[in-house]
Amino acid sequence: MFRKVVISAVLCVLSLSVFASSQAIVVSQIETMTVANSGLMFKARIDTGAGNTSLHAVDLEVIGGESDNMKHNIGKTIAFTTENEQGEKQRMQAEIVSTSTVRNAQGRETRYMVKLGVGFPDRLHNVYVNLRDRSHMNYKLLIGRNFLKQGYLVDVSRKKIIGPVAELSIKQTGLLFNTRIDTGAVENSLHAVDIRIEDQDFDDMANNVGKMITFTTENDKGETVDVRTKIRGTSYIRNAQGTEVRYMVRLSVGEPKKEYLVDVNLKDRTKMGYKLLIGRNWLQGHYVVDVTQEL
């Protein structure tokens, strides 16, 4: 009888555990998230090794005067500027609720902690967030265990699925493109004509790297727009027509409101079926391609 009771209790606990896991939300290693009252969307790194969530913050100012002892500023309001991966900035304020001392490869660092609503636009959690300058980091929002304990499981193999054709946005253009997804292409390629470069060297394209470039692009609906940005480099392309050198720029490309910065080469694609082609440098780490999916 005792053995039956023990087995029943174990099965009950296992059932409750499975049920609890089934209620958890599964997230991948990178998610698009927001911070309440910022109006910004961040490409957030999910980090189970970090105890607390961390947000990029610069130009920190303790309202009413700052004490040299950071702990004496607890309870005061701090103003700071944050920025997402697209370069959009927002000035914010929050109450200092604590300080946090972090040990890393650079040594020890003490940071202010504030309480902010963090998460998906329709599912925010109020968690402690440490403020630090993350300018040199790829991700301006890092999600730690204090957020994940709100009912999340992390699947590092999880990626979004995309079909062979998708409607994608290039934020700098304000346009949507009917886009060919091409795993055979290393780089992304965007239709570009009427290319104008400030102080252009017509003999050596490499000498134009770092200069400002303006070009006209067009989507499949015939909508056109001029884009002005900086030349990041040149790309040597081999294809069925031979070889050519193209200018490379960095643009925010992705699903609407989920764009992220990536290198794109510029080419006159007037005679091609798609004005935007997506290659592996956009797909890697983010998407798997299902060729059975259609728009």
Side-chain angles (χ1 to χ4, degrees), residues 34-97:
T34 189
V35 176
N37 302 318
S38 73
L40 304 178
M41 297 301 296
F42 295 85
K43 183 180 169 187
R45 163 66 75 185
I46 312 300
D47 186 356
T48 59
N52 291 310
T53 297
S54 180
L55 175 67
H56 171 64
V58 294
D59 300 328
L60 277 63
E61 177 190 0
V62 177
I63 307 299
E66 182 175 6
S67 169
D68 292 336
N69 188 328
M70 293 178 66
K71 289 187 177 181
H72 292 169
N73 295 314
I74 294 173
K76 296 180 181 179
T77 297
I78 188 169
F80 60 92
T81 299
T82 191
E83 179 181 2
N84 64 10
E85 292 72 24
Q86 286 74 45
E88 300 168 322
K89 297 180 180 180
Q90 181 64 47
R91 190 70 176 166
M92 300 183 65
Q93 291 187 5
E95 181 185 345
I96 300 171
V97 293

Side-chain angles (χ1 to χ4, degrees), residues 31-232:
E31 293 285 351
T32 301
M33 292 185 170
T34 189
V35 176
N37 302 318
S38 73
L40 304 178
M41 297 301 296
F42 295 85
K43 183 180 169 187
R45 163 66 75 185
I46 312 300
D47 186 356
T48 59
N52 291 310
T53 297
S54 180
L55 175 67
H56 171 64
V58 294
D59 300 328
L60 277 63
E61 177 190 0
V62 177
I63 307 299
E66 182 175 6
S67 169
D68 292 336
N69 188 328
M70 293 178 66
K71 289 187 177 181
H72 292 169
N73 295 314
I74 294 173
K76 296 180 181 179
T77 297
I78 188 169
F80 60 92
T81 299
T82 191
E83 179 181 2
N84 64 10
E85 292 72 24
Q86 286 74 45
E88 300 168 322
K89 297 180 180 180
Q90 181 64 47
R91 190 70 176 166
M92 300 183 65
Q93 291 187 5
E95 181 185 345
I96 300 171
V97 293
S98 182
T99 60
S100 173
T101 300
V102 179
R103 293 179 178 84
N104 51 35
Q106 289 71 47
R108 290 164 57 94
E109 177 185 357
T110 301
R111 308 169 186 169
Y112 286 120
M113 300 278 288
V114 298
K115 200 169 188 179
L116 296 172
V118 178
F120 300 100
D122 59 347
R123 190 182 175 93
L124 296 173
H125 302 283
N126 289 318
V127 296
Y128 281 16
V129 177
N130 68 54
L131 305 177
R132 74 159 304 189
D133 184 349
R134 300 180 62 86
S135 302
H136 61 291
M137 299 182 180
N138 292 329
Y139 302 94
K140 302 301 185 284
L141 176 61
L142 180 141
I143 300 296
R145 295 192 301 275
N146 65 335
F147 175 93
L148 297 170
K149 288 177 181 177
Q150 310 299 317
Y152 293 86
L153 300 177
V154 183
D155 181 357
V156 296
S157 67
R158 185 168 171 254
K159 297 181 179 68
K160 296 179 182 177
I161 297 174
I162 197 168
V165 177
E167 189 172 62
L168 298 183
S169 158
I170 297 181
K171 192 164 186 177
Q172 290 82 352
T173 69
L175 301 179
L176 293 175
F177 292 79
N178 192 31
T179 306
R180 167 59 73 193
I181 310 300
D182 185 355
T183 60
V186 175
E187 300 169 357
N188 310 298
S189 182
L190 175 65
H191 172 64
V193 294
D194 191 20
I195 292 175
R196 291 144 279 166
I197 300 170
E198 293 182 2
D199 190 28
Q200 181 174 0
D201 184 332
F202 292 92
D203 297 321
D204 189 346
M205 291 177 66
N207 290 337
N208 295 317
V209 174
K211 297 178 181 179
M212 298 304 295
I213 184 172
T214 303
F215 61 91
T216 302
T217 191
E218 179 182 5
N219 65 9
D220 52 290
K221 302 179 184 67
E223 299 168 321
T224 63
V225 68
D226 280 0
V227 178
R228 186 173 186 272
T229 186
K230 183 179 290 187
I231 300 172
R232 283 181 53 81

Side-chain angles (χ1 to χ4, degrees), residues 241-258:
Q241 289 71 47
T243 60
E244 63 179 302
V245 181
R246 303 175 188 171
Y247 288 117
M248 294 283 288
V249 298
R250 177 161 284 190
L251 298 171
S252 300
V253 182
E255 298 173 81
K257 297 188 181 301
K258 298 181 181 178

